[in-house]
């Protein structure tokens, strides 16, 4: 069991290095905006169900934080009037499809 857990941690570390490599190819503003994404993703866990009544909304934030990084990479600015509705729409989309997926498991 220990070997399997160690391999999983190594794989996660390897994927994190790939993500860091991609992030470092972007402009400085995108890098600064992308650093909090690490905290958002790491803080999401199965314990979120105990902390919040909306763990799927937090999942939506984790999965869709890339819209903020993508916008800043292209425009080198953060326009909340554009990014806010896009992020909110994608979080709602995540809530919908994850709820449908959960109900499919019941059938």
């Amino acid at each position: 069991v220990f070997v399997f857990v160690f391999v999983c941690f190594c794989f996660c570390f390897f994927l994190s290095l790939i993500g860091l490599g991609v992030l470092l190819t972007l402009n400085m503003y995108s890098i600064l905006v992308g650093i909090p994404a690490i905290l958002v993703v790491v803080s999401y866990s199965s314990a979120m169900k105990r902390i919040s009544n909306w763990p799927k909304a937090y999942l939506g934030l984790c999965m869709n934080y890339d819209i903020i990084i993508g916008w800043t990479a292209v425009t080198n600015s953060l326009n909340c009037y554009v990014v806010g509705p896009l992020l909110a729409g994608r979080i709602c989309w995540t809530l919908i499809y994850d709820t449908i997926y959960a109900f499919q498991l019941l059938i």
Side-chain angles (χ1 to χ4, degrees), residues 67-78:
I67 193 95
I68 300 170
I69 299 171
W71 182 267
T72 57
V74 171
T75 63
N76 204 18
S77 67
L78 183 60

Side-chain angles (χ1 to χ4, degrees), residues 66-97:
D66 61 337
I67 193 95
I68 300 170
I69 299 171
W71 182 267
T72 57
V74 171
T75 63
N76 204 18
S77 67
L78 183 60
N79 187 349
C80 294
Y81 294 110
V82 176
V83 176
L86 285 173
L87 183 61
R90 287 182 61 177
I91 289 173
C92 289
W93 177 259
T94 303
L95 286 169
I96 292 167
Y97 85 73

Side-chain angles (χ1 to χ4, degrees), residues 4-6 8 12 25 28 40 51 55-56 58 62 64 72-74 93 96 99 107:
F4 182 70
V5 172
F6 179 73
C8 289
C12 287
T25 63
M28 185 55 74
V40 171
I51 296 170
K56 291 181 183 179
Y58 198 80
C62 290
N64 298 310
T72 57
V74 171
W93 177 259
I96 292 167
T99 303
I107 297 175

Side-chain angles (χ1 to χ4, degrees), residues 4-27:
F4 182 70
V5 172
F6 179 73
V7 170
C8 289
F9 278 120
C10 289
F11 184 67
C12 287
F13 182 73
F14 177 69
L15 290 178
S16 298
L17 285 178
I18 292 174
L20 179 64
V22 171
L23 184 65
L24 292 178
T25 63
L26 302 176
N27 56 30

